[in-house]
Amino acid sequence: MGDGMEGLMVSAHESSVLGRIRDGVFSLDANGRFLYVNHPTKEMLVIQDDVVGRSLMDVLKGETLTCMQEQIEHSMAIQQPQHFECAWSKGEMDWAEVHIYPSLDGVTVLFRDISSRKNIDEAFRKNHEKIVLLSEAAHHILFNKEPKEILDSLFRDLSEHLGLDVYINYIYQESFHNLKLMNYSGISETIANEIEWLNLGEAVCGRAAREKKARVAEDIDSSQDPMVSLVKGMGIKAYVCHPLLSYGRLIGTLSFGTRKRTRFTEDELDLISSICAQVAPVLERSQLISNLTQKKEQAEKAALAKTEFLSMMSHELRTPMNSILGFSQILLEDSKEPLTLQQKDRAEKILKSGQHLLRMINDILEVGKVESSRKQGEWEILDISSVYKESLKTVKPLAVNKTIRIEMKDSTGDRCRIKGNAMKLTQVFSNLLSNAIKYSPEHRDVLVEFKKDGEYVKVMVTDYGIGIPYEEQDSIFLPFYRIFNRESNIEGTGIGLSIVKQFTQELGGEVGVESKLGSGSSFWFTLPLLKDVEDF
């Protein structure tokens, strides 16, 4: 219509034109009485009778009337058009966009229904708030590790947005078939102690857990339902509790309450439901990690206690065993009072059995060495062939006793250097060589081969002994596992190969065996080569 709507008296032609406009149009004189009203105005303001000559107060009421009067007076006073949005309480409209065009004799008002647009704007605003809150919830879940930190952060955001005062988190105790209070805010420590345990079906949270569906309690201050008596005593007026489920399995419950109002809106309940759905898998993960950590700590304590026990018992047994061996040797070597043949035979059996027991005790002590060696961090550049030659010195007497020759084949072409621990690598060589000698028949060779295998060096120790059944080859690296052979009946504790595997893996390599029953065995291990000294 433009800002030049100065004439308030409307001609028949103008009336016809204005009647076809879909927006509402009406004119008022200087006293606020209607001069003209078009048809859309009558429909939107639900006017049945002719209002020409009547006051604006006869048609509009409440805040809408107050807003229109103030804007019309201001427009008349400054003789400038006014454009604004106004909450509308007349007819089916909730909001109107209003344009006022003043003249010296009155005003012309054009208005249109913008309720749909306002509803869309409000929906966008609420969705935006929900997205922001869910985004913040995801942030808290990703960057906070402890369940209480996660829930406290979520509660702060939700309480600011929804006016919440309390949150309560229970965890389901599957072994006891009940709920245990884990995290909370907005209640005293005394109350927390009183509600620490809940049976399934008890109060709002127990009911939500048992039924595995959300429970909403509103108008609590006037409710007589026994289910809400617990939260009613805390001064809570509205309360919602969600079961925390992961693939249908109950993890616990998470509930929120307010002391300020008696009800939640559907949008608020939907938002709380979405956040609880995000929290459930995180709390389950945290619970699993906590359980695994506890079991790991328990296993470590048990392993340490076992190691300490074995070490203590081995030391306690070795002292009297050394005495038995010493006195047996004195008896056998006493030339002044020599033993009879029968006595000598018996003393030799005592000495032989004692030496066997002492070897077993020493092997058991090796278990303690393995455990304590895990804490050793002395790493250096090693030449693998040099370490092998040093290890060879410790086992050579065993080979000489059985007339066994240890042959070495090195096809690497140059020095093979690794990053490792000399003590551990020496133990690997010593155990594999002593095993090969132990299981080889007399007058046979033991072959030690060095090969390059990509970025690794591969060492293979081959004997021509009894061999290992195929079905037992995966078990021989387990602690205390031994292969029984009735013909050879070779002594041992079954610890040596488990130490080889442990140390090889700690050095970054792998270990394995190739064997055929009756034809011997080839034990091998690999270690990563050091490309350059700068890599150390």
Side-chain angles (χ1 to χ4, degrees):
M1 295 177 69
D3 290 355
M5 296 181 66
E6 298 176 356
L8 296 177
M9 298 303 293
V10 180
S11 66
H13 173 70
E14 290 171 333
S15 177
S16 175
V17 172
L18 292 173
R20 290 196 295 271
I21 293 175
R22 296 175 63 183
D23 298 330
V25 179
F26 64 86
S27 297
L28 301 173
D29 63 18
N31 296 317
R33 297 185 181 279
F34 285 99
L35 295 174
Y36 171 77
V37 177
N38 74 343
H39 184 69
T41 299
K42 292 180 179 180
E43 287 185 343
M44 286 189 280
L45 300 184
V46 194
I47 299 173
Q48 303 292 336
D49 305 323
D50 185 11
V51 294
V52 174
R54 294 172 61 185
S55 170
L56 186 64
M57 292 186 293
D58 296 332
V59 177
L60 299 178
K61 304 294 180 185
E63 293 181 2
T64 305
L65 174 63
T66 302
C67 176
M68 289 294 293
Q69 286 177 328
E70 290 176 352
Q71 292 290 340
I72 289 170
E73 288 175 7
H74 182 64
S75 181
M76 288 284 290
I78 65 173
Q79 284 296 298
Q80 291 291 329
Q82 298 296 305
H83 311 284
F84 58 94
E85 293 178 353
C86 180
W88 208 267
S89 58
K90 183 74 173 180
E92 297 182 358
M93 277 196 305
D94 296 317
W95 282 88
E97 179 186 298
V98 183
H99 304 271
I100 300 174
Y101 301 95
S103 70
L104 295 175
D105 301 322
V107 295
T108 298
V109 178
L110 182 147
F111 67 100
R112 60 172 60 97
D113 187 355
I114 60 169
S115 301
S116 296
R117 194 193 79 196
K118 278 289 187 178
N119 290 337
I120 292 171
D121 289 346
E122 180 65 13
F124 272 118
R125 185 188 65 80
K126 288 181 178 179
N127 281 337
H128 176 71
E129 289 178 352
K130 181 177 178 181
I131 289 168
V132 169
L133 276 170
L134 291 175
S135 174
E136 289 174 350
H139 176 82
H140 295 316
I141 286 168
L142 286 172
F143 292 97
N144 291 323
K145 294 181 180 179
E146 295 299 323
K148 182 164 178 58
E149 292 177 2
I150 295 171
L151 295 175
D152 284 350
S153 301
L154 289 174
F155 176 66
R156 281 194 298 271
D157 293 339
L158 277 175
S159 61
E160 184 178 337
H161 182 69
L162 304 181
L164 301 174
D165 300 294
V166 174
Y167 93 79
I168 296 173
N169 167 229
Y170 281 97
I171 293 297
Y172 178 54
Q173 303 286 310
E174 196 167 357
S175 54
F176 299 103
H177 206 55
N178 60 9
L179 299 171
K180 186 179 189 302
L181 181 65
M182 291 299 291
N183 305 290
Y184 62 88
S185 181
I187 60 174
S188 67
E189 189 174 343
T190 303
I191 292 176
N193 291 333
E194 291 174 359
I195 63 170
E196 183 177 6
W197 295 94
L198 278 185
N199 294 320
L200 293 187
E202 182 182 0
V204 180
C205 293
R207 190 80 63 87
R210 186 183 67 185
E211 297 174 358
K212 293 186 178 180
K213 66 179 183 180
R215 301 290 302 190
V216 181
E218 297 175 313
D219 300 310
I220 292 175
D221 48 358
S222 61
S223 175
Q224 301 302 315
D225 188 346
M227 181 184 73
V228 301
S229 59
L230 195 65
V231 292
K232 188 176 183 179
M234 302 177 199
I236 295 172
K237 295 181 179 180
Y239 192 71
V240 55
C241 180
H242 277 267
L244 300 175
L245 304 172
S246 180
Y247 300 101
R249 189 175 71 85
L250 180 65
I251 300 165
T253 64
L254 181 57
S255 51
F256 298 93
T258 175
R259 298 185 177 101
K260 300 181 183 72
R261 53 203 173 91
T262 60
R263 304 187 75 81
F264 295 107
T265 66
E266 288 298 322
D267 288 337
E268 290 169 344
L269 292 173
D270 182 55
L271 176 60
I272 291 172
S273 175
S274 298
I275 288 177
C276 289
Q278 286 191 59
V279 169
V282 177
L283 289 185
E284 181 190 36
R285 181 191 66 194
S286 175
Q287 210 174 1
L288 287 172
I289 291 172
S290 176
N291 291 339
L292 288 173
T293 302
Q294 288 178 5
K295 289 178 180 178
K296 179 176 176 287
E297 290 173 354
Q298 290 170 358
E300 287 174 349
K301 287 179 181 178
L304 180 61
K306 177 201 72 177
T307 302
E308 290 175 349
F309 173 76
L310 287 174
S311 179
M312 180 190 69
M313 289 303 297
S314 297
H315 281 293
E316 292 294 324
L317 289 170
R318 191 157 56 172
T319 301
M321 185 54 61
N322 283 328
S323 297
I324 293 170
L325 292 174
F327 282 115
S328 299
Q329 288 172 334
I330 290 171
L331 288 171
L332 288 168
E333 296 170 2
D334 190 351
S335 57
K336 292 182 179 180
E337 297 181 19
L339 300 175
T340 65
L341 290 175
Q342 188 179 35
Q343 289 172 334
K344 187 177 181 180
D345 180 60
R346 289 173 179 174
E348 286 175 346
K349 286 180 178 177
I350 292 172
L351 182 62
K352 185 178 179 181
S353 297
Q355 289 171 337
H356 172 57
L357 283 173
L358 185 60
R359 282 194 296 272
M360 291 182 67
I361 292 168
N362 289 334
D363 284 344
I364 291 172
L365 281 172
E366 288 297 327
V367 175
K369 287 183 181 178
V370 170
E371 295 297 328
S372 62
S373 72
R374 291 176 183 173
K375 301 177 183 178
Q376 296 179 6
E378 298 176 4
W379 290 73
E380 55 188 313
I381 298 174
L382 301 173
D383 177 44
I384 194 166
S385 62
S386 298
V387 178
Y388 160 72
K389 289 170 184 175
E390 283 297 316
S391 306
L392 196 58
K393 295 176 183 178
T394 63
V395 299
K396 210 159 191 178
L398 297 174
V400 170
N401 288 339
K402 295 182 70 174
T403 322
I404 290 175
R405 185 169 66 94
I406 300 175
E407 183 184 354
M408 174 185 172
K409 284 186 179 180
D410 189 349
S411 61
T412 58
D414 54 7
R415 294 175 64 190
C416 291
R417 293 182 299 179
I418 66 163
K419 181 175 71 173
N421 180 286
M423 183 277 292
K424 293 180 180 180
L425 185 54
T426 300
Q427 191 74 52
V428 169
F429 274 122
S430 298
N431 286 9
L432 289 179
L433 288 169
S434 59
N435 253 27
I437 294 167
K438 187 192 301 184
Y439 286 96
S440 290
E442 294 183 353
H443 312 294
R444 294 299 300 267
D445 291 345
V446 169
L447 178 62
V448 181
E449 297 177 86
F450 292 82
K451 302 176 182 178
K452 276 190 176 179
D453 186 5
E455 297 180 353
Y456 289 79
V457 58
K458 184 174 184 178
V459 181
M460 185 172 289
V461 179
T462 302
D463 65 69
Y464 301 96
I466 60 174
I468 303 166
Y470 178 78
E471 63 273 12
E472 295 189 68
Q473 289 179 17
D474 289 336
S475 304
I476 56 172
F477 292 102
L478 297 174
F480 304 107
Y481 188 89
R482 296 200 65 237
I483 297 171
F484 176 73
N485 186 284
R486 184 172 297 175
E487 295 177 3
S488 58
N489 194 26
I490 296 170
E491 298 172 351
T493 56
I495 294 173
L497 288 176
S498 68
I499 293 173
V500 168
K501 182 177 181 180
Q502 176 68 42
F503 284 174
T504 302
Q505 289 178 340
E506 288 180 15
L507 293 169
E510 295 181 355
V511 65
V513 63
E514 299 168 9
S515 183
K516 185 176 180 182
L517 194 60
S519 300
S521 305
S522 293
F523 285 88
W524 58 264
F525 67 91
T526 61
L527 293 175
L529 287 165
L530 189 65
K531 295 180 183 177
D532 197 322
V533 177
E534 293 180 359
D535 294 340
F536 182 69

